[in-house]
Amino acid sequence: MFALADCNSFYASCEQVFRPDLRNKPVVVLSNGDGCIISRSKEARALGIPDLQPLFKVEHQLRRSRVAIFANNYPLYDDLSRRVTETLLEIGVPLETYSIDEMFLDLAGYDSAHCAQAIRDIVWDQVKIPMSVGVAPTRTLAKLANQVAKKTAACDGICILDEPHKWRWVLERMPARTIWGVGGKLERPLLELGIRSALDLARANPKVLRRHGNINLQRTIEELNGHSCLEIDDVPADKRQIYSTRSLGTRARTLAPLQEAVALYAGRAAEQLRGQRHLTRAVHLFMHTSSHEPGFHSASKVVQLPCPSDDIRVIVALARQMAGDLYRPGHAFLKVGVGLLDVVDRRHCRFDLLAPGQPTPSDSPVSAFDTIDHKLGRGTSLLPNQETQRPWAMRQQFRSPRYTT
């Protein structure tokens, strides 16, 4: 049996941890630049506040209903996610982290009902994050059970689908597109085959459907019938492209602030690259003005590196140079992004000692950057061309303190 432990409205719940006065009250969290709503507490949902809505469209409603508004605070959320994981490890069952707010636990040999209740209790007692737990013989069914636990008040946060007649009853009432691994892309092909409900999908011939999907769809069908065949590593993989993009809080009308923003985002992309121990062969830079105003201008460029690298100095220097090449006076740039393309595992990358332009080994200074930032927080160590005064930084008018970092 597998359990999926999922933090309820995770970002909003994190904001309530250090604000007990906001528990049982409506809370929303905004996307980068205070743009759209990306997380709502259950009380905010009960007020009918829509998800993924721009703030300016619903701000009057939020104020009228006295909803607490927060800008995203990812350092806080990452730290509380780590604390939730460490707390669940105390239960003593094997654990796999799927996302920042979801963890799979292997309950083979354990009492499923007892473990599910223990998961909710220990996380609330030690971290004050509410959780829903779905238990089933496969990961896909556990994901389904978790949806039921979240949406059905009578479940009290726990749903156990341990027998075929239980999960078939749920599958019959769920659209096929809501199943983990199916989604909207496959909805139309499945409808053309007469597959509407998740139960229709479970009863379909996996070999026939494989021609319309892929091997993962065949595995999903097996999982819906209680046969565990989906490894967690089949779902998340190392990124083959890494992007760091932001909308600027103050539009960049000259080259200097544009290069500063590009340098910062290139450094963050390089940090993610080193985190998965990969190298990049090419850098992509794009920037554009507001698409809602006349005179829209967009520019983009891809440059190949002389050889694969994860050196923040090389990547940042190249990104700044590309920004200078793309910049044209007279435009107010609203958004910029840096992407690392053609990402390869450094273990499988061979270097040519005779290739011109190959950089000198840089693991020691780059590792020093990572060590300092890990101990003292992101942005503690900066290159000389990464500016600390950032008038162009994205808006975070409603951000809460970084209580733990």
Side-chain angles (χ1 to χ4, degrees), residues 181 185-186 189-190 193 206-218:
K185 280 188 176 181
L186 293 176
L190 292 178
L193 295 172
K207 293 183 179 179
V208 172
L209 282 191
R210 184 173 177 179
R211 295 198 294 266
H212 298 271
N214 52 39
I215 184 63
N216 287 331
L217 183 58
Q218 183 176 347

Side-chain angles (χ1 to χ4, degrees), residues 128-206:
K128 289 296 182 287
I129 295 289
M131 302 201 81
S132 295
V133 182
V135 180
T138 70
R139 290 177 175 86
T140 302
L141 287 173
K143 190 88 170 174
L144 179 70
N146 193 278
Q147 293 181 45
V148 177
K150 281 180 176 293
K151 296 178 180 179
T152 309
C155 290
D156 195 24
I158 297 175
C159 177
I160 300 177
L161 303 179
D162 53 355
E163 297 180 13
H165 73 275
K166 293 182 181 179
W167 68 69
R168 286 172 186 159
W169 187 90
V170 176
L171 289 172
E172 188 177 6
R173 290 157 177 79
M174 300 288 285
R177 68 175 181 275
T178 61
I179 297 300
W180 186 40
V182 178
K185 280 188 176 181
L186 293 176
E187 183 178 13
R188 177 171 291 182
L190 292 178
L191 287 175
E192 292 174 352
L193 295 172
I195 297 174
R196 290 173 172 77
S197 71
L199 185 59
D200 293 336
L201 181 61
R203 290 172 173 170
N205 188 324

Side-chain angles (χ1 to χ4, degrees), residues 339-350:
L340 306 182
L341 310 180
D342 201 3
V343 171
V344 294
D345 192 323
R346 66 181 304 153
R347 295 173 301 176
H348 305 146
C349 190
R350 296 182 179 180

Side-chain angles (χ1 to χ4, degrees), residues 7 10 19 30 73 91 109 161 189 205 224 238-239 259 297 305 310 365:
C7 303
F10 182 57
R19 290 285 306 275
L30 306 176
N73 190 343
I91 298 177
L161 303 179
N205 188 324
L224 291 178
D238 286 329
K239 296 178 180 179
Q259 287 184 317
H297 175 73
L305 290 168
D310 65 354

